[in-house]
Amino acid sequence: AGRPVSPAPLCPPAMAHPASVRCSGKPLAPLFTTFLFCLTLPPGFAVEVRRSLSVAVRLASTSSALNTGIPTNQEISEKWDQMDEFLRIMFTIACKWKHGKDIHGESVEKLQGTPGAKASDMAGIKAGLQQDSLKELKASCGMIVAKGQKRCRQSCADRWNEAMKERSECDDQCVSVYTKFESRCVGKSEDLEKLYAVKQKMADSRNRCYMGYCGKYPSVWMKESEADMQSAVSAACDAKCTAEQITKRCENKWALEADFHRAAVRSQCQGESAVSKCFEGKKGTASSEHETCASNGKATCDSQYADCQAKGKTDSTFKEAEGFCADRKKLCNEQVDARCLKEHDAALNDAKAACESGADAEFKTCEDTKLKDLGTASVTECEGKLGKTCPEDCASQCKVPEMAKCLQDLSGTDPAEAFCDDFWRLLHESSEVDPMTGNPIVLLAH
């Protein structure tokens, strides 16, 4: 229909509503709607939006006073275009923080404040906060519709009063606009869920960079520049390679190795103790007794075998008679071997118990002394090696250039920017009104 040429129709009194500002047909999102959504955004940003908006409005309101003439249509249009752009930028920044750094920061705080929590719990905490954010978004959509539609319909009643046809058309347009808005606004929750999934994949990729190149130094991950990362690695290695820390590491290393040396030490102590000499003497006696037992027993078996042959006349009778005597001799020898071996084992056990009686304290002292000497030597050797290699070995465990390149390859446009910009357009378009009548423009209904 073309723009009016006089300033009065461009900003009619009917449009001077605290919930919407409109000039020259240029849309400016309802301040109430914008601020209502900002309630779900970071408090700091909401405050900044209000403060900056207040300053911008004051500057805009005084611009005409600074000029000598009446502002032109172009000047008015440019003024409100700038205000529109300002709100878009502020909204997008706040939205990106709300669904990015704010969730990450709160997740870190919860992780640190949870006793026994591990780094692997971070993903679960963040997923919970993201679900809360999705619920907040849906609740905000309903709140905007509830308050915005009521305000829109009341504006129709106030402006058209008894002009029932125009009032009815205006009212229908309000219902149509906010019905479509609610549907699209709730649909944004699905977009936000996809955004979180993309962000999680990006976070997983960054974690692979961190763990693959610098897994032992999480403090380095928080640094932005490669120089700061190198400084963090140097600080961590300086703390790790002090004489006190090296000694602790070497002592821990020996504590893990001591049991592997204990068996050899015990064997050595047994060989050096009086118990060993005592046992060797008693062992010789037991062996002699075993040989005597075996010799006497087998002699008895031979005598019984000869007696069996004589009485059974094996040389003149059946062959089975000789076999019977041979089997008896074999059984006799087996019984002698078993009895003598059992007596020998019993003698050795008795000898060991007799020799070890009262020698436990001596053996324990020998074991402890030798293990302590081995431990001191091991720790000293370890300290000498680590003192030379620790700084270099420590630095090699965090490959900063490779990690920085890996992270750089993953950098790019924040996926939240497209989501937030699209959400702004939704809010913006839903607030379109006819600059002449003040009725909502049903863009979303098309």
Side-chain angles (χ1 to χ4, degrees), residues 211-240:
M211 297 302 297
Y213 294 109
C214 194
K216 293 188 176 181
Y217 303 100
S219 59
V220 180
W221 305 350
M222 301 296 104
K223 306 303 178 182
E224 295 292 338
S225 67
E226 185 174 341
D228 289 341
M229 292 179 186
Q230 291 285 12
S231 299
V233 171
S234 298
C237 290
D238 289 343
K240 184 178 181 179

Side-chain angles (χ1 to χ4, degrees), residues 122-175:
M122 181 72 167
I125 295 174
K126 185 176 290 188
L129 292 174
Q130 289 173 343
Q131 286 301 316
D132 292 342
S133 186
L134 288 170
K135 293 177 183 177
E136 290 176 5
L137 175 57
K138 292 181 180 179
S140 297
C141 292
M143 191 183 302
I144 291 173
V145 171
K147 295 188 176 183
Q149 182 171 304
K150 178 182 177 182
R151 187 184 63 249
C152 180
R153 298 179 73 176
Q154 184 61 50
S155 174
C156 293
D158 293 341
R159 285 183 291 103
W160 294 110
N161 200 2
E162 296 181 358
M164 298 307 296
K165 179 181 178 182
E166 290 79 0
R167 177 174 172 175
S168 178
E169 291 177 354
C170 178
D171 193 82
D172 290 343
Q173 289 171 348
C174 288
V175 173

Side-chain angles (χ1 to χ4, degrees), residues 90-110:
M90 294 301 295
F91 176 88
T92 303
I93 293 175
C95 174
K96 287 167 60 178
W97 275 65
K98 166 68 178 177
H99 302 298
K101 293 185 177 181
D102 276 14
I103 288 180
H104 179 76
E106 189 174 354
S107 300
V108 171
E109 185 176 350
K110 284 193 173 185

Side-chain angles (χ1 to χ4, degrees), residues 75 89 110 169 247:
E75 291 173 340
I89 293 172
K110 284 193 173 185
E169 291 177 354
T247 299

Side-chain angles (χ1 to χ4, degrees), residues 29-31 33-42 45-46 48-50 83-99 137 144 181 188 416-428:
L31 307 188
T33 299
T34 303
F35 291 157
L36 181 60
F37 188 80
C38 282
L39 292 177
T40 66
L41 300 176
F45 273 103
E48 288 301 319
V49 169
R50 293 183 179 93
M83 178 68 77
D84 223 12
E85 180 64 13
F86 166 79
L87 286 175
R88 185 192 68 80
I89 293 172
M90 294 301 295
F91 176 88
T92 303
I93 293 175
C95 174
K96 287 167 60 178
W97 275 65
K98 166 68 178 177
H99 302 298
L137 175 57
I144 291 173
F181 170 81
K188 287 299 176 185
E417 185 168 355
F419 168 81
C420 294
D421 191 61
D422 188 55
F423 209 138
W424 168 257
R425 286 197 301 271
L426 171 61
L427 294 172
H428 194 273

Side-chain angles (χ1 to χ4, degrees), residues 250-251 254 258 369-381:
C250 291
E251 290 174 346
W254 167 249
T369 300
K370 288 186 178 295
L371 282 175
K372 182 178 180 181
D373 292 342
L374 282 175
T376 300
S378 176
V379 169
T380 302
E381 181 183 3

Side-chain angles (χ1 to χ4, degrees), residues 50-67 71 75-76 78-80 82-83 86:
R50 293 183 179 93
R51 182 182 297 117
S52 301
L53 179 59
S54 177
V55 173
V57 168
R58 288 201 302 271
L59 290 175
S61 64
T62 57
S63 62
S64 59
L66 299 177
N67 298 325
E75 291 173 340
I76 294 174
E78 289 177 354
K79 177 181 69 175
W80 293 110
Q82 291 171 3
M83 178 68 77
F86 166 79

